[in-house]
C-alpha cells in the first residue's frame, strides 16, 4: 500500500470552508488600503539570508532560531522570508523607488518561522503588510494606525486594544542600553540562559522575552521612556494628539519594544484577550534607519503587519453570518438536456452578475442531483429534464424553504430569479 504523507508541522491547509473569512479580510484590507492611497507590491518569498540578518538583527529570536535557511544549488545561503518589511525595502532600493519619492505600499502572503506550533502560532503563517516610505511622521504614523482601526471597523470586529510606545533614536537607545545592562547585571541570578547571552550582545531583547519566570525582572526594569531624546518625545506627543483628535483609544505601554532590531521611535500593537496566549493581531512601527542600513539613502519609514490566521480566528467569532456555500443556483439536468442546461447556466451567469451558478456535472438520477444541490448551499435548484425541454420550461425547486416548487417558462427564468435574489 502507498503510504500517505502527513503535512509538515505548523504548515496549514486553508480549506474552502475557511475561505469566506480569509476573503472578507483580504478584500476589506485591500479596499481600505486603496482608500488611503496605498498600492500593492509583491516581493519574492526567498531572499538572501544576509538581508534578514542585516535588517531584523543577528541577536533576535527570528534570526537566531526561527529562520528557514538553506544553501541553494549554487551554494548561496537563502532564507524563506520570516517577515515582509526587509524584502519590500530591498525591492524599493533595487528598483529605485525611494530616491526623493514617497511610497505607500501593501503586500500580502505567507511568512515562515520555525517556531513551536500552537494555536495562533504556526510555521507558515500569513501577513497583510503595509509600509509607508519617505515619511518622517508623526502624521503618517497616525494615518497608519487609523487605517488599521478602519479595517477592524469595516470587518465588523470587536475592537482590539491598541498599545503604543516610542523607542526613540538609536542614540537615545544606546544611553538606555547602559542603564539596562547595569540593572540586569545586578539581577543576573533571575535571568534565563538566552537573556544572559543577550546581556552582552543585545540587552533590549531581554525585555521582549516571553519566558514566564522573567516577567518580574522585566517589569521592574528601568524604562526607555525616561531616556527618550527631546525630538522623539515631541514626535510621540504629536502622535498622541493626532490619535486623540481622531478618537482612537490607546494605552501607552513603556514595555513595548518589539522583537526586531530595526524599529525606532513609534511602535504599536493591536491586542486581543480572545485568542489565549497569542494576543497580538497587528504590530508595527517606525524604522527610520533601515533603508540606509540596507544600502539605500536615508529614508524615514513606518510599517505594520497583521497576522491573518489570528484575525480570521476573531472574524469567525464576530462574523458567524458568513457562509461557506459554493452556489446560489444549482442547475440539475436530464441526460438529454446537458447542452441546454449548460446554455441556461451561461445565460444566468451573463444576466445575474455576482450570482453563483453551478451546473450539475457527472450525470445521475434526479435524487442524486438534488442531494448535490443541497450540499452546494444553493437557494434554488433549476431542473431541466426531457419534459421541461418539451414544454419550454424549467422547474424551480426552492432548497431553503422559500415557497413551493413551480414551473417557470424558460424565457422568464432570468426575471423570475432576479425578483427573488434581490
Ligand atoms: P509574537 O509576539 O506573537 O511572536 P511578533 O512580534 O513575532 O508576534 P511580528 O513579527 O510583529 O510578530 O508579526 C506581525 C504579526 O504577525 C503578529 O502581530 C502576529 O499577529 C502575526 N504572527 C507573528 N508570528 C506568527 C506565527 N508564528 N504564526 C501566526 N501569526 C504570527
Ligand atoms: Mg514572534
Amino acid at each position: 500500500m502507498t503510504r500517505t504523507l502527513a503535512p509538515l508541522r505548523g504548515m496549514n491547509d486553508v480549506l474552502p470552508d475557511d475561505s469566506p473569512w480569509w476573503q472578507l479580510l483580504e478584500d476589506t484590507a485591500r479596499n481600505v488600503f486603496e482608500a488611503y492611497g496605498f498600492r500593492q507590491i509583491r516581493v519574492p518569498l526567498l531572499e538572501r539570508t544576509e538581508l534578514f540578518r542585516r535588517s531584523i538583527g543577528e541577536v533576535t529570536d527570528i534570526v537566531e532560531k526561527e529562520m528557514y535557511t538553506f544553501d541553494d544549488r549554487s551554494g548561496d545561503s537563502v532564507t524563506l522570508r520570516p517577515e515582509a518589511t526587509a524584502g519590500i525595502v530591498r525591492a524599493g532600493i533595487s528598483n529605485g523607488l525611494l530616491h526623493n519619492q514617497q511610497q505607500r505600499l501593501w503586500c500580502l502572503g505567507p511568512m515562515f518561522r520555525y517556531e513551536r506550533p500552537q494555536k495562533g502560532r504556526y510555521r507558515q503563517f500569513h501577513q497583510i503588510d503595509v509600509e509607508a516610505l519617505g515619511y518622517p511622521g508623526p502624521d503618517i504614523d497616525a494615518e497608519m494606525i487609523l487605517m488599521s482601526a478602519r479595517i477592524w471597523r469595516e470587518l465588523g470586529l470587536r475592537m482590539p486594544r491598541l498599545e503604543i510606545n516610542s523607542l526613540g533614536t538609536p542614540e537615545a537607545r544606546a544611553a538606555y542600553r547602559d542603564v539596562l545592562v547595569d540593572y540586569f547585571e545586578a539581577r543576573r541570578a533571575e535571568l534565563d540562559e538566552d537573556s544572559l547571552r543577550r546581556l552582552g550582545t543585545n540587552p533590549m531583547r531581554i525585555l521582549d522575552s516571553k519566558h514566564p519566570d522573567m516577567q518580574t525582572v522585566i517589569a521592574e526594569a528601568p524604562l526607555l521612556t525616561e531616556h527618550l531624546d527631546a525630538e522623539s518625545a515631541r514626535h510621540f506627543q504629536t502622535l498622541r494628539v493626532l490619535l486623540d483628535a481622531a478618537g482612537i483609544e490607546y494605552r501607552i505601554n513603556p514595555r513595548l519594544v518589539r522583537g526586531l532590531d530595526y524599529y525606532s521611535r513609534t511602535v504599536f500593537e493591536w491586542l486581543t484577550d480572545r485568542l489565549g496566549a497569542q494576543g497580538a493581531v497587528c504590530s508595527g512601527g517606525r524604522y527610520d534607519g533601515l533603508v540606509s542600513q540596507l544600502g539605500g539613502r536615508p529614508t524615514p519609514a513606518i510599517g505594520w503587519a497583521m497576522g491573518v490566521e489570528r484575525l480570521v480566528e476573531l472574524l469567525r467569532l464576530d462574523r458567524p453570518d458568513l457562509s461557506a456555500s459554493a452556489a446560489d443556483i444549482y442547475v440539475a439536468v436530464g441526460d438529454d438536456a446537458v447542452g441546454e442546461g449548460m446554455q441556461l447556466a451561461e445565460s444566468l451567469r451573463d444576466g445575474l452578475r455576482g450570482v453563483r451558478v453551478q451546473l450539475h456535472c457527472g450525470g445521475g438520477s434526479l435524487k442524486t442531483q438534488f442531494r448535490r444541490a443541497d450540499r452546494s448551499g444553493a437557494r434554488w435548484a433549476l431542473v431541466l429534464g426531457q419534459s421541461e425541454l418539451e414544454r419550454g420550461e424549467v422547474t424551480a425547486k426552492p432548497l431553503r424553504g422559500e415557497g413551493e416548487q413551480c414551473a417557470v417558462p424558460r424565457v422568464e427564468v432570468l426575471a423570475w430569479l432576479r425578483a427573488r435574489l434581490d
Side-chain angles (χ1 to χ4, degrees), residues 105-393:
L105 307 172
W106 70 272
C107 171
L108 146 170
M111 306 295 156
F112 303 85
R113 296 184 193 176
Y114 196 81
E115 301 200 64
R116 193 169 66 78
Q118 52 197 293
K119 186 170 139 70
R121 190 175 294 288
Y122 310 105
R123 289 181 174 172
Q124 174 176 311
F125 63 98
H126 294 74
Q127 285 186 343
I128 299 179
D129 183 270
V130 283
E131 313 289 345
L133 298 124
Y135 296 87
D139 43 9
I140 193 83
D141 303 13
E143 279 259 289
M144 298 284 272
I145 290 173
L146 256 56
M147 188 162 73
S148 49
R150 181 179 292 273
I151 294 175
W152 318 144
R153 274 203 312 278
E154 296 203 354
L155 284 170
L157 271 189
R158 205 193 291 169
M159 253 311 146
R161 132 180 135 253
L162 175 64
E163 294 190 349
I164 62 174
N165 191 24
S166 176
L167 300 181
T169 58
E171 297 74 38
R173 280 212 297 284
Y176 172 63
R177 183 195 150 109
D178 294 341
V179 178
L180 203 58
V181 169
D182 288 346
Y183 168 81
F184 282 125
E185 282 291 356
R187 297 180 65 166
R188 278 187 87 89
E190 293 165 69
L191 302 186
D192 67 351
E193 202 183 309
D194 264 353
S195 302
L196 281 172
R197 198 165 37 77
R198 286 172 179 183
L199 192 50
T201 48
N202 193 348
M204 271 188 66
R205 283 280 70 82
I206 300 176
L207 299 174
D208 196 46
S209 166
K210 308 272 191 304
H211 200 300
D213 298 347
M214 296 263 310
Q215 297 313 308
T216 314
V217 67
I218 289 173
E220 291 167 7
L223 295 178
L224 173 58
T225 330
E226 288 152 13
H227 300 266
L228 221 53
D229 54 290
E231 187 52 42
S232 295
R234 245 190 326 272
H235 187 116
F236 195 51
Q237 179 55 29
T238 309
L239 171 63
R240 293 180 55 188
V241 169
L242 292 172
L243 291 178
D244 290 339
I248 301 277
E249 284 179 37
Y250 58 86
R251 185 175 87 86
I252 297 172
N253 176 2
R255 302 282 164 205
L256 183 64
V257 292
R258 312 278 300 110
L260 302 83
D261 277 354
Y262 53 63
Y263 289 112
S264 53
R265 292 197 169 152
T266 310
V267 290
F268 61 93
E269 267 181 3
W270 288 96
L271 303 152
T272 174
D273 300 324
R274 297 194 290 160
L275 297 178
Q278 270 49 256
V281 292
C282 175
S283 8
R286 177 160 281 287
Y287 51 91
D288 292 337
L290 183 59
V291 178
S292 53
Q293 200 177 309
L294 291 176
R297 295 186 202 170
T299 307
I302 179 169
W304 57 247
M306 60 167 110
V308 175
E309 281 80 358
R310 294 182 193 178
L311 279 159
V312 163
E313 193 89 15
L314 286 183
L315 263 186
R316 279 181 169 282
L317 298 175
D318 289 344
R319 296 295 307 273
D321 55 304
L322 296 191
S323 119
S325 80
D328 301 304
I329 297 164
Y330 197 93
V331 179
V333 284
D335 287 342
D336 302 322
V338 175
E340 291 278 339
M342 201 172 269
Q343 281 175 34
L344 172 65
E346 285 292 296
S347 71
L348 298 180
R349 292 176 190 125
D350 286 338
L352 302 167
R353 289 281 157 196
V355 173
R356 301 163 307 162
V357 181
Q358 194 167 322
L359 172 70
H360 180 85
C361 292
S365 70
L366 213 51
K367 193 167 158 230
T368 312
Q369 299 200 30
F370 279 141
R371 199 162 55 232
R372 291 267 159 78
D374 194 50
R375 259 191 232 151
S376 75
R379 284 167 67 183
W380 283 282
L382 299 182
V383 186
L384 200 57
Q386 191 56 43
S387 55
E388 282 89 356
L389 275 187
E390 281 161 14
R391 292 199 302 271
E393 291 174 354

Side-chain angles (χ1 to χ4, degrees), residues 11 32 45 77 81 101 112 124 149 200 250 258 298 344 363 402 408 418-419:
M11 307 261 168
V32 170
L45 299 195
S77 180
R81 65 181 185 192
Q101 294 180 65
F112 303 85
Q124 174 176 311
Y250 58 86
R258 312 278 300 110
L344 172 65
E402 297 172 76
V408 183
R418 260 198 206 114

Side-chain angles (χ1 to χ4, degrees), residues 58-95:
E58 295 280 355
V59 189
T60 57
D61 278 350
I62 295 179
V63 171
E64 284 183 334
K65 44 193 177 194
E66 295 175 0
M67 294 207 301
Y68 280 88
T69 297
F70 56 95
D71 287 349
D72 69 10
R73 287 174 189 277
S74 12
D76 293 325
S77 180
V78 294
T79 294
L80 281 169
R81 65 181 185 192
E83 57 103 51
T85 306
I88 293 173
V89 169
R90 198 267 316 130
I93 298 170
S94 310
N95 296 285

